[in-house]
């Protein structure tokens, strides 16, 4: 495993796509290809695009069957939650509970490891689902859901990977500390991949889209640094959710 700050030997590998698929989704991946590798982060936007395309297909099928845009949006969100095992939503809830519910770094980290969900987590999940649902519904009603979902899901995964690279781990025994963080080369390649995917879908709008997604993640990273000294897997999930909802809202207004 390359050191997190070493990029001299890094290069994309075909197995990274399978590793990213195994890490970010509940889709079965055979053998060692499904094991997490930080250097597979460059492939995360492609897995995001795959999820976005599948969710967009759910929207289109639902509309074809006569459902409203709001119901089609709910179906798409249900698919995304099932496909990812609520990986990012769980991180959002734990992050909200920990960062706002604890009085010290240790207590906040303890809360974030607790499988139970508190008031802050419930409110965060509810508000974010409402925002994502409304954004997808508006895009679906105007036949813009396909491009928007693919772009938002791809860009938000790149933003999550960038947060993992830029922010040090808060724990000595957490995910980043145990396996390392993505290297610079992997992150640059991932951002380029997200930019290419979104440009193919929404054209020049991909430029401000990436800026918006990054701006949405920045406060999460700052707050995590201030309150727990770095990032955890939960913080990364929250970062993805913030980037995705910001991207969907922006695209609903821009397209």
């Amino acid at each position: 495993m390359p050191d997190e700050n070493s990029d001299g030997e890094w290069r994309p590998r075909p197995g990274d796509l399978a590793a990213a698929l195994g890490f970010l989704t509940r889709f079965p991946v055979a053998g060692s290809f499904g094991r997490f590798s930080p250097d597979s982060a460059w492939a995360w936007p492609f897995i995001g695009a795959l999820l976005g395309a599948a969710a967009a297909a759910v929207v289109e099928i639902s509309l074809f069957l006569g459902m409203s845009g709001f119901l089609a949006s709910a179906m798409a969100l249900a698919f995304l939650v099932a496909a990812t095992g609520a990986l990012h939503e769980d991180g959002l809830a734990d992050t909200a509970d920990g960062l706002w519910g604890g009085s010290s770094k240790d207590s906040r980290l303890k809360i974030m490891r607790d499988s139970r969900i508190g008031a802050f987590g419930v409110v965060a999940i509810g508000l974010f689902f409402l925002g994502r649902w409304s954004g997808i519904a508006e895009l679906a009603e105007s036949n813009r859901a396909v491009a928007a979902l693919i772009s938002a899901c791809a860009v938000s995964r790149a933003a999550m990977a960038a947060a993992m690279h830029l922010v040090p781990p808060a724990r000595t025994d957490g995910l980043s500390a145990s396996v390392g963080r993505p290297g610079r080369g992997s992150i640059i390649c991932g951002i380029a991949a997200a930019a290419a995917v979104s440009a193919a879908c929404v054209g020049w709008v991909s430029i401000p889209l990436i800026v918006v997604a990054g701006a949405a993640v920045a406060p999460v990273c700052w707050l995590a640094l201030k309150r727990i000294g770095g990032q955890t897997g939960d913080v990364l999930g929250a970062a993805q959710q913030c980037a995705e909802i910001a991207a969907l809202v922006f695209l609903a207004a821009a397209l």
Side-chain angles (χ1 to χ4, degrees), residues 55-139:
V58 172
V59 169
E60 294 301 311
I61 293 171
S62 299
L63 293 174
F64 177 77
L65 294 175
M67 299 182 190
S68 67
F70 284 99
L71 186 53
S73 175
M75 298 292 288
L77 284 174
F79 166 79
L80 288 172
V81 170
T84 62
L87 176 68
H88 310 304
E89 289 83 0
D90 179 69
L92 172 66
D94 287 343
T95 299
D97 280 335
L99 296 188
W100 295 109
S103 58
S104 66
K105 174 182 175 179
D106 289 341
S107 66
R108 290 166 187 146
L109 289 171
K110 184 178 180 180
I111 290 171
M112 291 170 72
R113 273 191 164 159
D114 194 329
S115 60
R116 294 169 295 181
I117 185 171
F120 289 114
V122 171
V123 171
I125 287 290
L127 289 175
F128 271 67
F129 264 109
L130 180 61
R132 293 162 72 199
W133 175 55
S134 300
I136 297 171
E138 182 172 337
L139 290 159

Side-chain angles (χ1 to χ4, degrees), residues 84-225:
T84 62
L87 176 68
H88 310 304
E89 289 83 0
D90 179 69
L92 172 66
D94 287 343
T95 299
D97 280 335
L99 296 188
W100 295 109
S103 58
S104 66
K105 174 182 175 179
D106 289 341
S107 66
R108 290 166 187 146
L109 289 171
K110 184 178 180 180
I111 290 171
M112 291 170 72
R113 273 191 164 159
D114 194 329
S115 60
R116 294 169 295 181
I117 185 171
F120 289 114
V122 171
V123 171
I125 287 290
L127 289 175
F128 271 67
F129 264 109
L130 180 61
R132 293 162 72 199
W133 175 55
S134 300
I136 297 171
E138 182 172 337
L139 290 159
E141 292 285 0
S142 55
N143 296 316
R144 297 171 292 168
V146 175
L149 277 167
I150 295 173
S151 299
C153 288
V155 169
S156 64
R157 269 69 181 184
M160 178 175 65
M164 188 178 186
H165 169 75
L166 293 171
V167 183
R171 296 188 178 101
T172 58
D173 58 345
L175 178 67
S176 293
S178 61
V179 301
R181 287 180 281 162
R184 187 181 301 108
S186 180
I187 295 304
I188 292 174
C189 186
I191 293 174
V197 168
S198 59
C201 293
V202 298
W204 67 269
V205 177
S206 61
I207 298 174
L209 172 64
I210 292 173
V211 174
V212 166
V217 168
V220 180
C221 295
W222 175 81
L223 191 62
L225 276 169

